[in-house]
Amino acid sequence: MKKTAIYPGSFDPVTNGHLDILKRALRIFDSVIVAVTDHRSKGPLFSVQERTALFRQAAQGLKGVSVENFNGLLVNYARKKGACAIVRGLRAVSDFEYEFQMALMNRHLSQRKKEPLETVYMMPDEKYTYLSSSLVKEVSRLGGDISHFVPRSVSAALLTKNRIPVKKT
Ligand code: PNS
């Protein structure tokens, strides 16, 4: 049976670290659905449509990937999509507590009707362990170069959002 995983997140915006995790997940699962959350509590820089479009563009050429947005409980969305697991990246110990809580809550919420949904954690390449979307946004807003950390389309979108003129290459 084909195995599908959900890779959920805010992805505000997608970074090379997220793409690294996605590629690792594709080595284990037949297909991965990137699920971009619609909840606005974090006050995202990019709208959910923009974040979805940026991830879709960044994942172009990767087989077995679809990028969608969702709202409501992740476990319900994952069930609807027939996923057998949730994939998340784990960069450092500081990520652990939040991830531990989410994994156990999702397992609890999902086990009432069927088998529990498990969360699979993956470590990104070492060069991405200090990378986060928040840091990328801050560095870009203050005029720093983030081109090593995000896909080209995201670099351009950040410059446009921050009203920094895009250099022609
Ligand atoms: O990239 P993030 O912001 O760390 O991702 C968090 C995300 C989207 C995975 C989490 O907030 C989530 O699953 N939201 C959907 C609503 C939900 O199911 N909440 C309960 C999670 S235990």
Side-chain angles (χ1 to χ4, degrees), residues 110-129:
S110 64
Q111 70 195 356
R112 274 193 302 166
K113 291 182 195 148
K114 295 182 185 166
E115 290 203 338
L117 256 178
E118 297 298 343
T119 306
V120 175
Y121 286 97
M122 294 184 157
M123 321 308 164
D125 190 288
E126 300 90 276
K127 63 179 183 261
Y128 299 130
T129 48

Side-chain angles (χ1 to χ4, degrees), residues 14-94:
V14 57
T15 67
N16 291 341
H18 295 133
L19 293 172
D20 179 273
I21 296 292
L22 175 62
K23 287 175 195 161
R24 287 173 200 278
L26 284 169
R27 290 197 208 114
I28 299 176
F29 298 98
D30 300 294
S31 61
V32 177
I33 302 171
V34 176
V36 183
T37 181
D38 195 10
H39 77 98
R40 285 157 215 179
S41 61
K42 281 192 182 173
L45 178 65
F46 293 98
S47 71
V48 69
Q49 288 79 14
E50 288 171 323
R51 286 180 276 135
T52 306
L54 285 171
F55 209 135
R56 212 168 264 153
Q57 209 171 343
Q60 246 174 23
L62 293 178
K63 271 200 180 148
V65 178
S66 59
V67 184
E68 303 180 355
N69 57 63
F70 79 104
N71 47 38
L73 276 181
L74 174 63
V75 287
N76 293 344
Y77 177 77
R79 286 289 188 223
K80 199 171 82 187
K81 294 288 168 182
C84 64
I86 295 166
V87 166
R88 293 280 290 172
L90 203 56
R91 291 162 300 187
V93 180
S94 50

Side-chain angles (χ1 to χ4, degrees), residues 8-11 37 39 42 70 72-75 88 98-99 101-102 105-106 109:
S10 310
F11 306 118
T37 181
H39 77 98
K42 281 192 182 173
F70 79 104
L73 276 181
L74 174 63
V75 287
R88 293 280 290 172
Y98 172 55
E99 293 298 334
Q101 288 176 341
M102 276 208 301
M105 179 60 85
N106 282 331
L109 290 172

Side-chain angles (χ1 to χ4, degrees), residues 1-4 30-31 82 84:
M1 211 175 88
K2 294 218 174 211
K3 291 203 181 297
T4 299
D30 300 294
S31 61
C84 64

